[in-house]
């Protein structure tokens, strides 16, 4: 029963992770638009915002990398959902086979149950592997966002050199920083999800 | 555990009813499963839902080697008829599932592979069982749109799926109908609501009236035998079906 509860909890936790990832994908799209606007703004500002322009371009690349990273995470989440679903099915099949073994005199059913339990162990092992892969992918995404955060902070510094455009550039870079920080906080929470810690 | 009762036997040709599980939770509808054996092979008719697999398996295995089952016959696609399929296949992956072509793509959601399913065409088909020929008899729209009953000419037995079914009140658990008039009251509401077509019902009554039947064995409730078989067919023929009481 503890096994069944664990699987049900896992499914809930994966669904929550998936919802968070979906929200991050939305934000990544927003960064892309913001970066595009920032590139136009830097072009208008001319040489005074050359550095800001380079950073805006890098932030645009970052938003694409972030979306790619989220695609990879989504793929892993789907694999986890599939595996947990197998585990939930295993639990039901195993419970019914156990009951059949207890009430039947046919000893061959014991072998069928043993085979079933061996397959259950394979599914459980596969889920452990996927759990590790998902954690690693989240860590990688977090590193990527840390880099995004540095770009946003550098853009803030560059904005100060934007002469008459400094105020608009500061506003844009501040928005970058806020959005990237939002993603960083989300990913940090996901890395601590009970799906990985079991608590 | 369910109990088994041999309801027909001629040498190694048998019909065994697997019925009445005292441990069945009330929220699951009670079902009858039937095992037909001939020679060294067996065919299980409407093997039942997954939740009752332990009860059916243990009862069946007390009577017959479950590895000698060549397959299951699913009268239609409902979960109480065959959602245990995956568990039977775990025990014996070579088993086949005979079912209407209409459901051959739906029932795999309960389990099985492409090799598991033998589609029965609308007009019915013969199913061989170690020298015996069983006949899948069309009963479409009674209640499922792709529905078959199974006739065993040699034993004069008809497995009639939901036709003839009765929702028996607690305490009435006799295997055979003893008082037709009293029994049929428990069948009336079920037939009015579950059977969708008067035309299909008429065709079925005509079809089975031509068959020699000693026992009519439904998936729920009690078995009709002797004169009660024709009595049931006449009663059903007169009944207006496809009606919602509410």
């Amino acid at each position: 029963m503890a096994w069944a509860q664990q699987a049900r909890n896992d499914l809930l936790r994966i669904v929550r992770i998936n919802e968070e990832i979906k929200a991050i994908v939305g934000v990544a799209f927003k960064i892309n638009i913001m970066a595009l606007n920032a590139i136009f703004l830097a072009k208008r500002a001319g040489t005074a915002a050359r550095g800001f322009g380079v950073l805006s371009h890098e932030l645009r690349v970052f938003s694409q990398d972030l979306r790619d990273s989220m695609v990879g995470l989504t793929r892993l989440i789907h694999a986890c959902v599939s595996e947990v679903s197998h585990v939930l099915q295993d639990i039901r099949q195993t419970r019914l086979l156990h009951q059949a073994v207890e009430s039947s005199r046919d000893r061959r059913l014991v072998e069928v149950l043993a085979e079933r339990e061996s397959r259950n162990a394979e599914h459980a092992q596969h889920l452990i592997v996927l759990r590790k892969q998902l954690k690693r992918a989240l860590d990688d995404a977090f590193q990527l966002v840390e880099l995004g955060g540095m770009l946003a902070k550098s853009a803030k510094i560059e904005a100060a050199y934007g002469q008459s455009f400094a105020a608009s550039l500061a506003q844009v870079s501040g928005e970058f920083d806020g959005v990237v920080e939002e993603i960083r906080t989300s990913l940090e929470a996901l890395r601590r999800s009970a799906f990985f810690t079991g608590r | 555990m369910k109990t088994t009762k041999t309801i027909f036997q001629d040498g190694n040709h048998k019909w065994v009813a697997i019925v009445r599980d005292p441990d069945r939770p009330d929220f699951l509808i009670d079902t009858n499963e039937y095992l037909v054996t001939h020679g060294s092979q067996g065919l299980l008719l409407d093997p039942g839902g997954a939740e009752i697999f332990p009860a059916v398996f243990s009862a069946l295995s007390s009577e017959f080697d479950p590895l000698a089952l060549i397959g299951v016959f699913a009268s239609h696609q409902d979960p109480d008829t065959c959602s245990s399929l995956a568990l039977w296949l775990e025990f014996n992956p070579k088993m086949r599932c005979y079912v209407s072509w209409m459901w051959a793509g739906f029932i795999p959601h309960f389990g099985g592979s492409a090799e598991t399913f033998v589609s029965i065409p609308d007009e019915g088909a013969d199913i061989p069982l170690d020298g015996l020929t069983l006949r899948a008899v069309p009963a479409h729209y009674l209640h499922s749109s792709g529905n078959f009953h199974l006739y065993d000419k040699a034993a004069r037995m008809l497995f009639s799926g939901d036709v003839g079914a009765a929702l028996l009140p607690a305490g009435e658990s006799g295997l055979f109908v003893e008082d037709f008039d009293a029994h049929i009251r428990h069948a009336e509401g079920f037939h009015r609501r579950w059977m969708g077509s008067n035309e299909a019902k008429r065709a079925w009554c005509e079809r089975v009236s031509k068959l020699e039947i000693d026992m009519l064995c439904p998936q729920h409730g009690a078995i009709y035998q002797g004169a009660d078989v024709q009595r049931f067919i006449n009663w059903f023929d007169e009944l207006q079906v496809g009606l919602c009481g509410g």
Side-chain angles (χ1 to χ4, degrees):
Chain A
M1 284 302 102
W3 188 27
Q5 192 54 51
Q6 165 78 32
R8 281 193 289 269
N9 288 343
D10 275 347
L11 194 56
L12 269 176
R13 287 160 183 164
I14 297 167
V15 167
R16 282 188 198 128
I17 293 174
N18 194 41
E19 288 304 308
E20 201 66 44
I21 298 292
K22 275 157 65 183
I24 294 174
V25 170
V27 176
F29 184 72
K30 202 162 118 189
I31 295 176
N32 188 39
I33 303 290
M34 284 165 66
L36 202 59
N37 286 334
I39 289 167
F40 291 140
L41 184 63
K43 276 199 190 302
R44 275 205 302 277
T47 50
R50 194 171 285 156
F52 188 90
V54 170
L55 286 164
S56 298
H57 179 76
E58 287 304 310
L59 276 163
R60 202 167 172 228
V61 173
F62 159 72
S63 82
Q64 185 54 52
D65 289 348
L66 186 62
R67 273 187 289 173
D68 291 346
S69 166
M70 294 303 121
V71 168
L73 279 170
T74 304
R75 202 178 299 123
L76 278 169
I77 284 166
H78 288 170
C80 286
V81 168
S82 164
E83 211 53 47
V84 173
S85 305
H86 279 307
V87 169
L88 282 165
Q89 270 185 331
D90 289 345
I91 290 166
R92 184 174 187 227
Q93 304 278 89
T94 308
R95 171 176 64 81
L96 293 165
L97 284 172
H98 258 295
Q99 286 173 14
V101 165
E102 279 164 22
S103 57
S104 168
R105 280 172 294 180
D106 195 321
R107 292 298 91 196
R108 287 166 304 183
L109 202 55
V110 176
E111 289 167 32
V112 173
L113 180 59
E115 278 172 33
R116 151 63 49 198
E117 283 176 336
S118 142
R119 280 202 303 280
N120 295 354
E122 279 172 29
H123 285 149
Q125 186 55 39
H126 194 204
L127 184 59
I128 289 171
V129 171
L130 283 171
R131 208 186 291 264
K132 282 183 185 161
Q133 285 177 355
L134 184 59
K135 177 73 170 57
R136 207 174 306 130
L138 271 173
D139 288 343
D140 290 347
F142 187 76
Q143 293 297 320
L144 180 67
V145 172
E146 291 272 67
L147 174 69
M150 284 166 64
L151 289 172
K153 281 181 177 49
S154 302
K156 264 171 132 175
I157 295 165
E158 282 296 323
Y161 299 104
Q163 296 169 359
S164 60
F165 283 89
S168 343
L169 294 175
Q171 190 192 338
V172 171
S173 58
E175 282 171 9
F176 270 135
D177 196 32
V179 168
V180 174
E181 182 56 30
E182 192 185 319
I183 298 173
R184 205 185 73 85
T185 310
S186 286
L187 285 176
E188 200 163 20
L190 290 183
R191 289 162 81 205
R192 287 197 304 268
S193 161
F195 183 64
F196 305 111
T197 61
R199 287 189 294 273
Chain B
M1 186 173 113
K2 286 193 159 213
T3 52
T4 56
K5 174 87 179 165
T6 301
I7 54 175
F8 167 83
Q9 180 158 22
D10 179 18
N12 59 19
H13 181 192
K14 280 203 310 192
W15 274 62
V16 178
I18 302 167
V19 291
R20 312 290 186 262
D21 179 6
D23 302 322
R24 175 185 57 81
D26 287 342
F27 59 85
L28 289 177
I29 189 169
D30 191 28
T31 53
N32 304 328
E33 291 72 38
Y34 299 93
L35 166 71
V36 185
T37 70
H38 190 260
S40 59
Q41 294 182 340
L43 183 72
L44 183 58
L45 316 184
D46 279 0
E51 285 298 319
I52 62 155
F53 170 79
V56 176
F57 183 90
S58 49
L60 181 139
S61 60
S62 68
E63 281 282 331
F64 185 73
D65 179 355
L67 271 184
L69 284 174
I70 59 154
V72 299
F73 170 82
S75 61
H76 61 292
Q77 81 288 9
D78 279 351
D80 65 320
T81 67
C82 58
S83 65
S84 61
L85 184 62
L87 289 153
W88 286 101
L89 290 168
E90 283 215 27
F91 184 76
N92 182 357
K94 288 183 187 154
M95 278 172 70
R96 295 288 174 264
C97 176
Y98 295 89
V99 67
S100 162
W101 66 269
M102 282 185 67
W103 308 123
F106 290 67
I107 293 185
H109 285 282
F110 291 142
S113 63
E115 293 73 42
T116 307
F117 297 93
V118 181
S119 292
I120 307 174
D122 279 344
E123 63 273 22
D126 287 339
I127 299 174
L129 185 69
D130 202 4
L132 178 74
T133 299
L134 300 165
R135 180 75 191 170
V137 178
H140 308 309
Y141 297 99
L142 301 173
H143 70 96
S144 165
S145 46
N147 204 84
F148 284 100
H149 296 164
L150 194 83
Y151 180 57
D152 180 345
K153 189 178 179 184
R156 297 161 63 107
M157 306 283 278
L158 179 71
F159 168 61
S160 58
D162 280 320
V163 172
L167 304 174
L168 300 176
E172 286 191 31
S173 57
L175 181 57
F176 294 100
V177 173
E178 284 166 11
D179 177 344
F180 182 86
D181 293 332
H183 176 83
I184 211 67
R185 287 201 298 269
H186 304 309
E188 188 173 337
F190 181 88
H191 285 76
R192 282 193 195 280
R193 182 66 199 262
W194 260 262
M195 306 301 155
S197 159
N198 284 305
E199 203 175 318
K201 179 206 65 176
R202 181 83 269 284
W204 180 86
C205 290
E206 210 163 287
R207 192 175 300 125
V208 299
S209 288
K210 293 175 190 153
L211 304 174
E212 293 176 317
I213 304 169
D214 287 344
M215 283 189 203
L216 186 143
C217 307
Q219 197 213 351
H220 311 280
I223 296 169
Y224 304 80
Q225 59 179 339
D228 281 341
V229 172
Q230 194 55 49
R231 209 169 277 147
F232 171 77
I233 296 168
N234 294 341
W235 170 85
F236 190 36
D237 202 13
E238 294 291 314
L239 190 73
Q240 285 298 300
V241 299
L243 298 172
C244 178

